[in-house]
Amino acid sequence: MDTDSQEYHSQEASSQLIDGEESEQDTFKILVATDNHLGYLEKDPVRGDDSFNAFEEILQQAVKSEVDMILLGGDLFHENKPSRKAMHVTSKLLKKYCMGDKPVSLEYLSEPSDNFSEGIETVNYMDANLNVSIPVFSIHGNHDDPSGEGNLCALDLLAMNGLVNYFGRSPAIDNVIVKPILLQKGVSRLALFGIGNIRDERLHQTFLRRNVKLMRPLDEDGEEPWYNLLVLHQNRVMHGPKNYIPENFLDDFIHLVIWGHEHECLIDPVYNPQQHFHVSQPGSSVATSLCEGESRTKHVAILKICKNKFSIEKIRLTSVRPFIMSDITLADHGLDPTKPNKVSSFISKRIRELVQEAKDDWVAKNGRTSRKRRMYSEGDDSEDEEAASESNNGEIVVPKPLVRLRVEYSGGFEIFNPQRFGSEFIELVANPRDIVQFYRKKTGNAAKTAPTAKAEMDAVDKIEKLDTARVENLVQKYLAAQHLSILPENELEDAVRIYVEKDEKDAVKE
């Protein structure tokens, strides 16, 4: 083993907390979750409660694990203006699980005006009018970010009602100054930095201009050094030259980064040898798209921090709806393109196999534990009781799975209407309208220009392409061809995006 490799493993190991090494009175115990997307598909008769069920399980886990606090990494809500139902259910769950007589053993050391919005005088558990047992700290994401008159968001409402501690909002996007929340437990001291979502291209430019400043607290003689924890909500994967935040942009005095926004669960901490910090990406608690990253097993983390060391215990979420993906290439199965009925039957058979695979996997992981439906059910005094794990005939109840079959149809095959085809599976799957996704590999000159590209979506499936298109990209492409001389293109692009995504009716007018 060379010297660099030995130093890498030595530095990585020195920051890891070993079981039995910590003392309870000196150890921060934090439940970490991101991208809860409360209210996602709330009107769907099958999937409408999925986001709320997963969030309730997270809160239940926090109570069970007796954590000191909950840390959320953005996108608590799916909509920028959550419905009254979403706000009501969220408030109810937070009051049920995070309010109580249990004392909070965290000492708040920083100045409230450095961390919170105007009108918030301290952390909620120090408010004499509230009885908080588990404080919740959250930044905003790209879905629930501040906008409109007053530049407010749904988290502001929860914070003003004492249900969460909302931090990480920057007054200016071209000069971001981040002052940490300073907490102490026993001799351990935690500096919690938060960067709520800022459009990636702009934040990328702000970093390049060296206008993102994290105000590092000074270590004091005779005191344990600060453990610096950063939570942010940005693209981690490159979507363009400047449409992401590289890890090497972040300060190297940070010890651990909790990365929100990316939905794939990569919760095990990964060491960055250049910046000398670890990165944990918890992922989402509910699937909001039918892609490979969302099909990975969902987890939350119990983060322990004692002095200058940490450990992460990942906990699988059992209330998450099963999700399975698969790919097939029709030309590889000896099918006749002139017999569409046989092709359709073949695809139908494969989908039924996937449904059974998803159910078998769910039973193997969950045993005889049932996924509770409407866990937060209004007016039900028995909501704390475990849902029955079996139906009347003794069969284990498994929720309808999400299924996505990607079908490569080059070679003369014709496609059919996926929505009409999905009606056959209404009683079997949770997403009958979009089970099948057709695509076709590019050939000839197109393949030569992008030899390393993966199979791409064919233009035939226009509905699928519209679902995945981003408004700002469409607007930018259109405006680029107009050569506007009066209206500024960047501001107009932002205004249209906010009008569409945030439902701000006056965005273009302003």
Side-chain angles (χ1 to χ4, degrees):
M1 184 181 294
D2 57 33
T3 304
D4 290 341
S5 180
Q6 287 179 337
E7 183 179 358
Y8 169 88
H9 290 288
S10 175
Q11 291 177 343
E12 183 180 17
S14 65
S15 61
Q16 298 286 336
L17 188 62
I18 303 172
D19 287 341
E21 187 178 10
E22 77 278 6
S23 59
E24 184 176 348
Q25 66 269 22
D26 298 325
T27 302
F28 289 93
K29 195 173 184 181
I30 306 169
L31 187 142
V32 180
T34 68
D35 297 272
N36 307 110
H37 287 272
L38 297 177
Y40 176 70
L41 290 184
E42 61 183 320
K43 295 182 180 179
D44 188 290
V46 177
R47 302 166 63 185
D49 296 334
D50 286 4
S51 62
F52 301 120
N53 289 342
F55 188 60
E56 182 168 18
E57 183 187 356
I58 291 170
L59 297 180
Q60 288 174 336
Q61 187 61 56
V63 174
K64 178 182 177 182
S65 301
E66 298 183 331
V67 299
D68 298 310
M69 58 182 275
I70 297 172
L71 179 61
L72 303 178
D75 279 354
L76 176 62
F77 294 100
H78 184 70
E79 299 291 344
N80 189 262
K81 296 180 179 179
S83 68
R84 280 175 287 188
K85 173 191 172 182
M87 289 297 294
H88 179 263
V89 174
T90 303
S91 300
K92 179 179 178 180
L93 292 175
L94 289 170
K95 288 184 69 175
K96 178 179 178 180
Y97 293 103
C98 299
M99 295 291 185
D101 296 328
K102 174 178 168 286
V104 178
S105 55
L106 303 178
E107 185 179 358
Y108 178 65
L109 303 177
S110 49
E111 183 64 35
S113 60
D114 291 340
N115 305 139
F116 308 123
S117 302
E118 183 180 355
I120 307 295
E121 298 179 354
T122 185
V123 285
N124 62 350
Y125 63 87
M126 292 181 64
D127 190 325
N129 299 312
L130 300 173
N131 237 15
V132 177
S133 58
I134 304 178
V136 178
F137 293 83
S138 179
I139 63 171
H140 67 258
N142 58 305
H143 281 255
D144 53 8
D145 58 332
S147 63
E149 186 176 357
N151 197 35
L152 300 173
C153 65
L155 285 170
D156 281 301
L157 301 181
L158 296 180
M160 193 56 67
N161 286 297
L163 296 174
V164 302
N165 299 290
Y166 169 38
F167 72 110
R169 173 163 54 189
S170 176
I173 59 176
D174 56 351
N175 185 30
V176 179
I177 298 176
V178 185
K179 297 181 180 180
I181 293 176
L182 303 179
L183 301 170
Q184 183 162 347
K185 184 179 181 184
V187 300
S188 298
R189 302 201 298 172
L190 173 65
L192 175 58
F193 297 84
I195 301 178
N197 179 264
I198 298 173
R199 192 176 171 193
D200 287 287
E201 294 91 337
R202 290 194 172 182
L203 186 59
H204 191 107
Q205 281 296 120
T206 307
F207 268 109
L208 290 177
R209 293 171 182 154
R210 300 185 182 276
N211 284 336
V212 179
K213 302 177 182 66
L214 275 60
M215 309 302 286
R216 182 179 184 179
L218 295 175
D219 293 328
E220 301 172 9
D221 293 337
E223 297 280 358
E224 282 291 331
W226 292 98
Y227 188 90
N228 300 303
L229 172 63
L230 169 65
V231 56
L232 77 164
H233 191 100
Q234 304 291 155
N235 282 337
R236 186 182 179 192
V237 177
M238 181 187 292
H239 295 275
K242 297 181 180 179
N243 198 10
Y244 77 115
I245 304 301
E247 291 182 12
N248 61 10
F249 277 12
L250 306 178
D251 291 283
D252 58 7
F253 69 81
I254 296 295
H255 296 97
L256 175 63
V257 178
I258 302 297
W259 207 298
H261 184 60
E262 301 289 354
H263 282 208
E264 183 177 2
C265 183
L266 301 172
I267 204 165
D268 293 314
V270 177
Y271 184 66
N272 184 316
Q274 284 75 38
Q275 300 302 103
H276 307 295
F277 54 58
H278 287 80
V279 180
S280 174
Q281 180 180 303
S284 65
S285 58
V286 62
T288 61
S289 62
L290 301 177
C291 63
E292 186 176 355
E294 292 275 27
S295 66
R296 305 290 173 85
T297 303
K298 305 287 188 185
H299 294 85
V300 293
I302 301 295
L303 168 64
K304 292 182 180 180
I305 298 173
C306 184
K307 300 178 183 178
N308 64 339
K309 294 187 177 183
F310 82 101
S311 68
I312 283 183
E313 175 192 359
K314 63 181 182 180
I315 298 174
R316 183 175 61 84
L317 295 176
T318 61
S319 64
V320 175
R321 187 178 295 279
F323 178 16
I324 190 169
M325 285 191 68
S326 184
D327 288 72
I328 59 171
T329 301
L330 296 179
D332 293 344
H333 294 274
L335 297 169
D336 188 346
T338 64
K339 297 179 179 179
N341 289 338
K342 287 192 174 182
V343 174
S344 178
S345 297
F346 172 79
I347 295 175
S348 177
K349 179 183 177 182
R350 179 59 185 140
I351 290 173
R352 292 179 185 276
E353 292 173 350
L354 290 175
V355 170
Q356 191 58 48
E357 287 179 30
K359 289 183 175 182
D360 291 344
D361 182 66
W362 189 90
V363 172
K365 289 179 177 178
N366 293 280
R368 305 184 74 80
T369 303
S370 173
R371 181 179 185 273
K372 294 164 68 177
R373 306 304 297 159
R374 291 189 64 84
M375 297 168 73
Y376 61 89
S377 179
E378 302 285 348
D380 185 359
D381 294 334
S382 62
E383 61 187 347
D384 290 330
E385 298 178 4
E386 284 297 317
S389 62
E390 300 182 10
S391 60
N392 293 334
N393 60 6
E395 181 182 355
I396 297 178
V397 179
V398 180
K400 293 180 182 179
L402 296 170
V403 176
R404 168 51 65 91
L405 180 63
R406 286 169 43 88
V407 179
E408 203 287 313
Y409 69 98
S410 57
F413 292 93
E414 294 184 359
I415 67 171
F416 48 78
N417 188 314
Q419 297 183 10
R420 190 181 307 148
F421 174 78
S423 62
E424 176 185 346
F425 304 95
I426 288 178
E427 299 301 322
L428 294 178
V429 302
N431 60 313
R433 294 171 59 87
D434 51 7
I435 303 175
V436 177
Q437 182 185 45
F438 290 101
Y439 72 97
R440 188 165 56 190
K441 292 181 180 178
K442 287 191 174 182
T443 56
N445 293 332
K448 293 179 181 178
T449 58
T452 60
K454 294 183 178 179
E456 297 182 19
M457 290 297 300
D458 186 79
V460 175
D461 196 352
K462 296 180 180 179
I463 296 177
E464 193 75 36
K465 283 206 163 189
L466 281 175
D467 286 342
T468 58
R470 293 190 60 82
V471 173
E472 58 263 38
N473 294 339
L474 296 174
V475 174
Q476 187 178 38
K477 183 177 179 180
Y478 177 79
L479 292 179
Q482 305 307 311
H483 305 293
L484 300 181
S485 57
I486 299 178
L487 294 174
E489 293 183 8
N490 291 338
E491 284 80 356
L492 182 58
E493 178 187 337
D494 282 345
V496 174
R497 177 181 60 85
I498 293 171
Y499 178 86
V500 174
E501 294 185 356
K502 315 299 182 187
D503 195 28
E504 290 294 341
K505 305 301 184 185
D506 297 326
V508 177
K509 184 190 300 184
E510 295 172 355

